[in-house]
Amino acid sequence: MPAARDIVATYRGPGAVMRRLLAMGQREDRALVILMAGCVVMYIAQWPRLARQAYMTGEELNPLLGGALLAWAFIAPLIFYGIALISHWIARLAGGKGTSFGARMALFWALLAASPLVLLHGLVAGFIGPGPGLTVVGAAWLVAFALFWALGLREAEWGRI
């Protein structure tokens, strides 16, 4: 199933999508592509906010974009791999029987699946700026990401409960 359909399906049933992703087998290239796609979307979501910041402060936009690219393309993937490993260790301590690959897929897919909300957050940050609207959209993204990650990790570590 294409990624866009899987993203929509995740909002309806995150466990089913994670089961389907894990049933495709352990392919680290697939996990890396999902992570990098999520990081690219996170980078793109920064553009409106950075453009607003450059306009409001008189800073140059290109260095801001370059810094965000460095952060999301090179540093964030390494951090996400570390977070996934730590979450797998914690799940193992709690009785999980899954693999570290499953924990990586749960985290990486949660990042990509919550990407429509982070794009909306970027638009609100760029066009409206700080305020209650930005807070609400940011909270919605955080809740969706945490929920997708928790349900995906539950599926990856304990299977159907």
Side-chain angles (χ1 to χ4, degrees), residues 43 53 81 90:
Y43 169 63
Q53 178 183 338
Y81 267 94
I90 292 170

Side-chain angles (χ1 to χ4, degrees), residues 74-126:
F74 297 104
I75 298 169
L78 298 173
I79 293 171
F80 280 115
Y81 267 94
I83 291 170
L85 183 61
I86 292 168
S87 73
H88 173 65
W89 289 341
I90 292 170
R92 295 290 285 210
L93 290 174
K97 304 287 186 218
T99 64
S100 59
F101 174 80
R104 285 192 299 276
M105 283 298 288
L107 177 61
F108 300 169
W109 182 253
L111 180 69
L112 184 59
S115 63
L117 290 172
V118 84
L119 288 170
L120 178 60
H121 183 268
L123 289 173
V124 171

